[in-house]
Every structure is written in C-alpha cells, then in structure tokens.
Amino acid sequence: DAKTQVTVQYKYENGAVVPVRVHTVVISTQHDPDVTNEEIRKQLLETIILPAIPEQYLDDDVIYHLNPTGRFVIGGPQGDAGVTGRKIIIDTYGGWGAHGGGAFSGKDPTKVDRSAAYACRWVAKS
C-alpha cells in the first residue's frame, strides 16, 4: 500500500504549459515493522524518486515528505480511511483536474459523497 503526490511548478511558454521544477514529493508507503524510517527514506529516494523524476526538475529546494507521519505498518483495506477516487480524476482529466476533497468511490458509506450516491440510486430505483 502506498500513496504518492508530486507537485510541479509550471510556466506558460508560447501557449503551452511547460514543467519548470518539482516543488514537493510526498510518498507514504507501507513497510515491514523492522525497517527504520531512515532506511525507508533512503530507499524511496534512491529506488523511486531519482529514477522516476528527470534530474533537470530536481533542485536543492525540492521538499520531500517521505513517510511524513512516521510508521505505516498497517495498510490496505485494514488501514484505509476510505478516501479514494482521486486517481479516477487524474486518469480522466490529467494533472489539472481539481478535487473537492470528497470520496465518491470510497469504501466508507458514512462519507457524504458516497452516502449521496447511494441515496440517488435508491431514489432512482423506487
């Protein structure tokens, strides 16, 4: 189980949006309970970030939040807060899709967006 977010600074150049630099990288990943936070940070940087992000976008001012809340031993459905659905937006609209913070496709029926969807389905069937 892992969650990622990369914030990129862009500029407009002849009507096109062009990436300038990476501003922030956030990665939270589940791990074995015996692995230290220092080792996780080192491995994330060496095996994920540096190979995945072109060097010209990484400068000394990039902010890295690598497992920023500390330990992430319990993951998957057991540790999920039910806030999913953002990937659907990115896949549909690209990196410029706004997300209002709800969880339409979440697993928790108590979330407002999900409850509203269930209510609409119930009304449509009635």
Side-chain angles (χ1 to χ4, degrees):
D1 192 356
K3 310 290 185 271
T4 63
Q5 177 178 312
V6 178
T7 303
V8 178
Q9 179 182 345
Y10 292 91
K11 68 178 177 181
Y12 287 101
E13 190 173 279
N14 299 323
V17 180
V18 179
V20 175
R21 62 180 290 273
V22 168
H23 181 278
T24 307
V25 176
V26 182
I27 303 177
S28 293
T29 185
Q30 187 177 2
H31 55 83
D32 187 277
D34 298 328
V35 179
T36 66
N37 284 343
E38 294 75 28
E39 181 62 25
I40 292 165
R41 291 178 56 82
K42 180 177 180 272
Q43 289 297 320
L44 289 174
L45 191 63
E46 291 175 2
T47 64
I48 305 295
I49 297 167
L50 295 178
I53 300 174
E55 187 177 338
Q56 74 260 28
Y57 300 126
L58 298 174
D59 58 31
D60 292 337
D61 295 325
V62 176
I63 299 167
Y64 296 98
H65 297 291
L66 307 177
N67 270 23
T69 61
R71 310 299 287 163
F72 185 6
V73 175
I74 299 171
Q78 182 181 5
D80 197 342
V83 198
T84 59
R86 291 176 295 257
K87 180 152 179 18
I88 295 167
I89 292 168
I90 295 304
D91 289 345
T92 305
Y93 302 108
W96 292 95
H99 183 270
F104 182 78
S105 64
K107 299 171 190 75
D108 184 349
T110 64
K111 300 288 187 259
V112 175
D113 292 356
R114 190 65 167 182
S115 299
Y118 286 149
C120 290
R121 289 178 190 161
W122 182 79
V123 168
K125 284 197 255 181
S126 299

